[in-house]
Amino acid sequence: MRLFDQLLTPVGHSLFGSFLVGFIPIAVVLVLLGIIRTPAWIAALSGLVVGMIVAFTVWQIPAHLAFSAVALGAVFAVWPIMWIVFAAMWLYNISQRTGSFELFRRWMYKNATNDRRLQVLIIAYAFGALMEGIAGFGTPVAIASALLVGLGFPVLEAVVLTLIFDTAPVAFGALGVPIVSLGAVTGLPVANLSAMVGRQLPLFAFLLPFYVLLVMGGWKSLKGAWPAALVGGFAYAATQFLVSNFIGPQLPDVLAAMVALVSLVLFTRIWKPKDSDQFQSYIHQANLETAAATELSSQQAATGLSGNQIWRAWAPWILITATVIVWTFLGIASIGVQNVKWPGLNKLIYLTLYHKSYVAVWSFQPLGSGTPILVALIITALVLKTGWKTFWLAAADTWEQLKFPILTVMEIVALAYLYNYSGMAYTLGLAVATLGALFPFFSGFLGWIACFLTGSDTSSNVLFGNLQVVAAKQLHLSPTLMAATNSSGAVMSKMISPQNVSTGVSTGALRNQEGKVIRRTFIHSLVLTALLGILVVLQTHVLSFMVPK
């Protein structure tokens, strides 16, 4: 059977003109979300329909190949992506129905003081990073923002602040899968890639607490709470740097988040901002105690939670952390893997840019992705003595929350796969790669585009990681630096990816209002990506000693 040759410059043989036309489906999604304010699933579906039209008429991909690519993307969205999210959110809903989450909220309130700036640093920054390191794909946003809402934060503020923080941990999320995948597609040593990303993102991890305090309340907010930002940012960044450079990509997030969480909790016990009265929590202690579980005695109400209650509060998150780490290091996820050569697509397309046929394989891991999280939630249900009725009611809650996010993710990942197999993605990437001396600055925007489409740093690296290496060699730049920058750039668009945002708002009042969130996070996404571009330029020409040889 004759292969379909991907077209790279189908619009008048002009790379720039082809880039503009290829960007149209992405623009449709952005406009519908951010300006017209449609629900994410409608915006994603519209982008997919426009993408199909452009792919058929301009890139001339045969219909059967296009539909097969879309189907593969939709299946990949369900498994593994949304299986991870569903299992994690199911665990969250069990903690809600058993009262564990209420106890956890109260523990956070007591140990984060009543200053909402410190609450954001502990919950959205440190605890959110821990959830990103374990699960990712919007789960940390949903859970951490729900905690903030439980402490009285307005829903929009809670989601936006959590999304901004959900950047620095992403490249090492899910126990380092994005970096391992980047090494697989580029052929570069994983240790070098881990070290290089670990010489970029820790700088942002350090700056983010200061940045978010500015977003919360300007210089006045930062002036009073900067010591906490310094402690949390340094604890996280230093640990992330050391682990990524000297151990590997699996544990930077988990260990850094734990160190930052403990450091912030201990620090805020001995230090309080002098202006805390101006940044009081949205919920007063009296109201919180009134709404507390009835099992509290008057003595416990005065002194805090009992030992058993603290265990019940932390049990879900301790168990999920331990289970996922053990599962990963025992290699259980690799047992029973089935690599399905996708019918009607595998090796039927010729990758013009790389001069080889395009493999289309769906890797089904029955014991991977969300399965260890499912095991953790079963153990949690047993520990918390959850009845079968509550167990399945929590599952029903999860379906109600995620039915539209699942649809959104299927549509947006299907669009990403259409971009890949039609050749549109490589046209966009090639256009950026031809910027010559400006390429180091814009290199991160390649990852930014890919992660916007897929919502995944891993998928971004698979899509454009090798393109970064090709461009780097042509321009006599470091392939390790450019490949790592793809991963670092991708994390900056997590806060505007429809997939990530849709999952993030699934537990609150902003469900189906993703556009409202993206309008608030879009400028922050661009600012942080531009800052990354400046850093990469410096690492290319001035700070070359930071680049692994």
Side-chain angles (χ1 to χ4, degrees):
M1 183 179 294
R2 186 178 182 278
L3 301 184
F4 164 67
D5 294 347
Q6 289 183 340
L7 303 178
L8 296 177
T9 56
V11 181
H13 301 289
S14 166
L15 186 57
F16 179 69
S18 300
F19 173 87
L20 293 179
V21 174
F23 198 77
I24 289 175
I26 299 175
V28 167
V29 176
L30 287 172
V31 169
L32 288 177
L33 279 173
I35 299 177
I36 302 179
R37 307 183 185 184
T38 62
W41 73 269
I42 294 178
L45 178 60
S46 301
L48 178 59
V49 171
V50 173
M52 292 285 279
I53 294 173
V54 173
F56 289 151
T57 60
V58 181
W59 270 261
Q60 300 177 28
I61 183 173
H64 67 282
L65 294 177
F67 283 111
S68 186
V70 166
L72 176 57
V75 170
F76 180 77
V78 174
W79 193 290
I81 294 177
M82 291 311 293
W83 173 223
I84 296 173
V85 175
F86 192 93
M89 292 301 294
W90 192 354
L91 177 70
Y92 160 76
N93 283 313
I94 284 178
S95 74
Q96 280 275 27
R97 283 189 168 269
T98 59
S100 170
F101 195 78
E102 169 64 18
L103 293 173
F104 188 66
R105 177 174 75 96
R106 289 173 50 213
W107 185 92
M108 283 289 186
Y109 186 91
K110 177 178 175 58
N111 290 279
T113 76
N114 59 358
D115 189 310
R116 62 180 181 270
R117 295 168 298 181
L118 305 185
Q119 292 173 341
V120 164
L121 292 178
I122 290 176
I123 296 170
Y125 182 52
F127 183 71
L130 179 61
M131 291 296 98
E132 178 64 44
I134 294 170
F137 296 110
T139 304
V141 180
I143 294 176
S145 65
L147 263 174
L148 291 179
V149 171
L151 291 174
F153 279 74
V155 179
L156 182 59
E157 181 182 12
V159 172
V160 168
L161 296 179
T162 308
L163 278 167
I164 295 174
F165 270 132
D166 190 33
T167 48
V170 169
F172 297 107
L175 297 177
V177 170
I179 304 301
V180 174
S181 300
L182 182 61
V185 299
T186 61
L188 298 172
V190 170
N192 286 357
L193 292 170
S194 175
M196 189 64 251
V197 175
R199 299 175 193 187
Q200 293 177 330
L201 290 186
L203 296 173
F204 289 89
F206 178 75
L207 292 174
L208 276 174
F210 300 92
Y211 185 87
V212 171
L213 289 180
L214 282 173
V215 172
M216 285 185 69
W219 289 106
K220 185 177 181 180
S221 170
L222 178 60
K223 182 180 178 181
W226 71 265
L230 178 64
V231 169
F234 179 78
Y236 190 98
T239 307
Q240 189 185 52
F241 169 80
L242 291 172
V243 177
S244 61
N245 276 265
F246 299 106
I247 297 179
Q250 287 80 15
L251 291 176
D253 278 355
V254 175
L255 294 180
M258 288 181 172
V259 171
L261 182 60
V262 172
S263 298
L264 281 167
V265 169
L266 293 178
F267 181 69
T268 53
R269 288 194 171 189
I270 62 174
W271 174 87
K272 308 293 181 187
K274 294 180 179 179
D275 59 349
S276 280
D277 58 319
Q278 301 176 45
F279 293 92
Q280 285 287 313
S281 170
Y282 293 108
I283 287 184
H284 295 293
Q285 183 66 35
N287 292 336
L288 186 62
E289 297 298 347
T290 300
T294 56
E295 63 191 73
L296 275 177
S297 67
S298 58
Q299 181 181 3
Q300 291 169 353
T303 60
L305 302 177
S306 67
N308 181 59
Q309 289 171 322
I310 293 175
W311 162 244
R312 288 179 63 84
W314 273 98
W317 319 115
I318 292 174
L319 290 170
I320 189 177
T321 302
T323 303
V324 171
I325 290 176
V326 171
W327 201 275
T328 299
F329 279 96
L330 291 180
I332 298 174
S334 61
I335 299 175
V337 175
Q338 300 292 321
N339 291 317
V340 180
K341 296 179 180 179
W342 201 253
L345 188 63
N346 184 52
K347 293 186 176 182
L348 294 180
I349 293 177
Y350 185 72
L351 274 166
T352 306
L353 188 62
Y354 299 137
H355 309 293
K356 62 181 182 180
S357 58
Y358 204 157
V359 175
V361 175
W362 176 54
S363 183
F364 176 63
Q365 291 182 290
L367 297 180
S369 61
T371 305
I373 303 177
L374 175 64
V375 172
L377 79 87
I378 292 173
I379 296 173
T380 299
L382 294 173
V383 168
L384 298 179
K385 298 180 180 179
T386 305
W388 281 109
K389 180 179 179 181
T390 301
F391 185 81
W392 292 113
L393 284 175
D397 293 340
T398 306
W399 169 250
E400 185 61 28
Q401 292 163 348
L402 292 181
K403 58 186 180 183
F404 284 112
I406 289 172
L407 179 60
T408 301
V409 173
M410 290 176 67
E411 293 165 348
I412 204 71
V413 177
L415 175 60
Y417 273 63
L418 178 65
Y419 261 87
N420 293 359
Y421 286 95
S422 67
M424 294 163 64
Y426 298 102
T427 297
L428 299 184
L430 189 61
V432 176
T434 56
L435 291 174
L438 295 176
F439 179 68
F441 178 82
F442 287 100
S443 173
F445 282 93
L446 274 179
W448 187 92
I449 291 172
C451 192
F452 168 80
L453 280 171
T454 64
S456 164
D457 193 288
T458 301
S459 298
S460 171
N461 289 339
V462 171
L463 179 59
F464 283 148
N466 205 42
L467 179 63
Q468 298 271 10
V469 171
V470 171
K473 290 179 178 179
Q474 290 176 346
L475 298 171
H476 305 291
L477 301 171
S478 166
T480 299
L481 173 60
M482 293 301 105
T485 300
N486 189 84
S487 191
S488 297
V491 310
M492 305 306 177
S493 72
K494 285 280 283 188
M495 68 182 78
I496 63 168
S497 169
Q499 171 187 303
N500 199 49
V501 176
S502 185
T503 303
V505 301
S506 64
T507 59
L510 288 175
R511 199 179 306 172
N512 294 328
Q513 298 183 54
E514 294 87 353
K516 184 180 292 186
V517 175
I518 291 175
R519 285 196 304 276
R520 288 280 297 272
T521 57
F522 194 82
I523 185 63
H524 302 298
S525 177
L526 291 179
V527 167
L528 292 173
T529 311
L531 289 176
L532 173 66
I534 294 172
L535 173 62
V536 175
V537 171
L538 291 175
Q539 289 175 325
T540 301
H541 300 293
V542 181
L543 305 175
S544 57
F545 61 88
M546 295 181 64
V547 181
K549 302 300 181 183

